[in-house]
Amino acid sequence: MWYAIISEDITNSLEKRKQARPAHLERLHQLREDGRLLIAGPHPAIDSEDPGEAGFSGSLVVAEFDSLAAAQQWADADPYMAAGVYKQVTVKPFKKVLP
């Protein structure tokens, strides 16, 4: 089943994001290689493709896992969690309808 992992950043998370980004992306690339990644990306803190120093306010990952518990475990192990980027993470089932 698909699961949405909706993460909210701490204030001024950009430097912590930059430090943990390579490890964070490595895990997403692995999901993609396994055919389990539907979509992933950050939420710019301002209305811009490139928010610059404004940074990001959070992230969204929609990926396939065996269970809600497995999705939560994956989210809990995110390098952004260990680096203190996220202040809150919500994991919930997602039903893909379109496209």
Side-chain angles (χ1 to χ4, degrees):
M1 178 168 193
W2 295 109
Y3 293 90
I5 301 169
I6 306 152
S7 306
E8 186 178 343
D9 281 22
I10 63 167
T11 303
N12 299 319
S13 63
L14 188 57
E15 286 308 311
K16 289 182 179 188
R17 271 184 169 268
K18 287 178 181 178
Q19 292 173 10
R21 189 169 190 260
H24 171 78
L25 289 178
E26 184 177 321
R27 297 175 81 235
L28 291 171
H29 288 300
Q30 187 60 55
L31 281 178
R32 185 186 63 200
E33 289 173 20
D34 293 345
R36 298 172 42 211
L37 182 64
L38 183 63
I39 191 169
H43 301 285
I46 60 173
D47 189 13
S48 174
E49 279 280 320
D50 181 2
E53 290 303 310
F56 300 93
S57 63
S59 300
L60 171 66
V61 174
V62 179
E64 189 174 32
F65 294 93
D66 292 334
S67 66
L68 179 59
Q72 184 68 59
Q73 183 177 22
W74 187 91
D76 290 345
D78 192 306
Y80 281 173
M81 287 292 291
V85 171
Y86 295 148
K87 69 178 174 183
Q88 181 177 338
V89 176
T90 302
V91 180
K92 50 189 183 178
F94 178 80
K95 181 176 167 100
K96 182 178 183 269
V97 175
L98 292 171

